[in-house]
Amino acid sequence: AAGVIQSPRHLIKEKRETATLKCYPIPRHDTVYWYQQGPGQDPQFLISFYEKMQSDKGSIPDRFSAQQFSDYHSELNMSSLELGDSALYFCASSFLGVSGVWNEQFFGPGTRLTVL
Amino acid sequence: KNQVEQSPQSLIILEGKNCTLQCNYTVSPFSNLRWYKQDTGRGPVSLTIMTFSENTKSNGRYTATLDADTKQSSLHITASQLSDSASYICVVSNSARQLTFGSGTQLTVLP
C-alpha cells in the first residue's frame, strides 16, 4: 500500500541557510501534519493543513512556513536555520471520515535535518 | 493541561516472552488513543487506534485495551520477537484533533 513520502530523507545545511522539506500524503488523504522530533524527544506538532487551508498551528517558529498545494502535497520552508533546528521532521497524513472525525494519522519516514 | 504518561520508560525482555506497556492520560475532551511503534530514526507506525466506546482491539500479536473511566490504556505484546525492539508511543487526541504524545516505552527484546 502507498505510504507517506517525504523528501529529502537527509539534508545538511549551514546556519542561516534555508531548507525546504516536502511531503506527499497517502492518495485520497486530505490532511497533512508536520512534526519536529529533536534527539531523544517526543514529536512536537508544528502545523497542519486540511484541503489546502491551514487548520491547526502548534509550536512552529516564525522562521518556518508551510503550505499545502492543489495536489495535496505539502512543503515546509525553513529560513535562517539555527543549530537547534537539527531534528527529524515527520509528515503525517489522514482524511476526514464520513462521520466527521479525522481518521488516524499515518507517518512518513521523516527527513533528518542537520544544521552545521 | 493535557498529559500522557507512559510506563515503564524502558523494558528488557527475552524473545518469546510477553509484556504489557501502560499509558495514563489526562486529555480532554477525549477523542481517540493510538499506539505507535517507532524504530530508531524512522517515522512512527500505527499499531491501533481506539475510540471512546472500544475496550480492546487486537492487531496480530499486539492487543490494546482502553478504560475511558480511569483514563488508562495498555498495549500487550505476546510472544515477543527481536523485531519488536523499538519505542512504543501512546498518543491521545482531543476533539480538536490536537495530539498529545507520551514519552514512549523503549522495549528491547533479547535473544
Side-chain angles (χ1 to χ4, degrees):
Chain A
V4 177
I5 298 172
Q6 290 187 246
S7 68
R9 292 294 308 277
H10 301 272
L11 188 60
I12 300 175
K13 290 285 185 178
E14 296 194 354
K15 283 173 54 178
R16 291 180 288 278
E17 285 191 320
T18 61
T20 297
L21 310 185
K22 296 184 179 182
C23 169
Y24 297 86
I26 292 173
R28 292 183 293 281
H29 280 199
D30 51 25
T31 308
V32 169
Y33 310 79
W34 285 97
Y35 295 88
Q36 178 191 57
Q37 186 175 28
Q41 298 181 8
D42 311 331
Q44 296 295 316
F45 170 68
L46 295 178
I47 196 168
S48 65
F49 292 87
Y50 167 64
E51 283 292 345
K52 293 149 280 185
M53 300 288 290
Q54 180 184 309
S55 54
D56 285 307
K57 193 172 182 181
S59 53
I60 184 169
D62 292 339
R63 300 177 289 108
F64 294 6
S65 65
Q67 58 180 323
Q68 185 179 32
F69 295 86
S70 57
D71 63 351
Y72 294 102
H73 94 273
S74 178
E75 295 184 3
L76 177 66
N77 299 294
M78 311 159 71
S79 61
S80 302
L81 287 171
E82 302 173 355
L83 296 179
D85 295 330
S86 295
L88 262 176
Y89 289 84
F90 290 110
C91 170
S93 75
S94 68
F95 66 93
L96 182 61
V98 294
S99 59
V101 177
W102 266 268
N103 287 274
E104 64 183 302
Q105 298 182 15
F106 291 85
F107 283 79
T111 293
R112 181 172 293 282
L113 173 66
T114 302
V115 181
L116 302 176
Chain B
K1 181 183 176 183
N2 292 333
Q3 284 187 312
V4 175
E5 295 182 354
Q6 292 187 242
S7 62
Q9 277 191 325
S10 60
L11 182 62
I12 300 174
I13 61 174
L14 294 177
E15 186 179 13
K17 297 296 186 182
N18 305 333
C19 67
T20 300
L21 315 180
Q22 300 289 343
C23 172
N24 298 334
Y25 62 91
T26 56
V27 174
S28 127
F30 174 85
S31 176
N32 57 65
L33 182 147
R34 314 152 195 222
W35 283 95
Y36 285 93
K37 175 186 178 186
Q38 184 175 24
D39 293 307
T40 301
R42 305 187 68 175
V45 175
S46 177
L47 296 176
T48 67
I49 178 171
M50 303 186 72
T51 58
F52 185 86
S53 59
E54 296 174 303
N55 298 120
T56 184
K57 183 176 282 189
S58 292
N59 177 7
R61 295 182 295 105
Y62 302 103
T63 299
T65 65
L66 175 65
D67 186 334
D69 292 330
T70 61
K71 298 186 178 180
Q72 296 179 327
S73 176
S74 66
L75 180 68
H76 186 73
I77 304 175
T78 59
S80 61
Q81 301 176 357
L82 299 179
S83 58
D84 292 333
S85 294
S87 179
Y88 291 82
I89 305 172
C90 176
V91 183
V92 182
S93 175
N94 64 13
S95 57
R97 298 184 299 118
Q98 296 168 331
L99 302 187
T100 303
F101 285 73
S103 297
T105 292
Q106 184 64 46
L107 174 65
T108 302
V109 180
L110 299 177

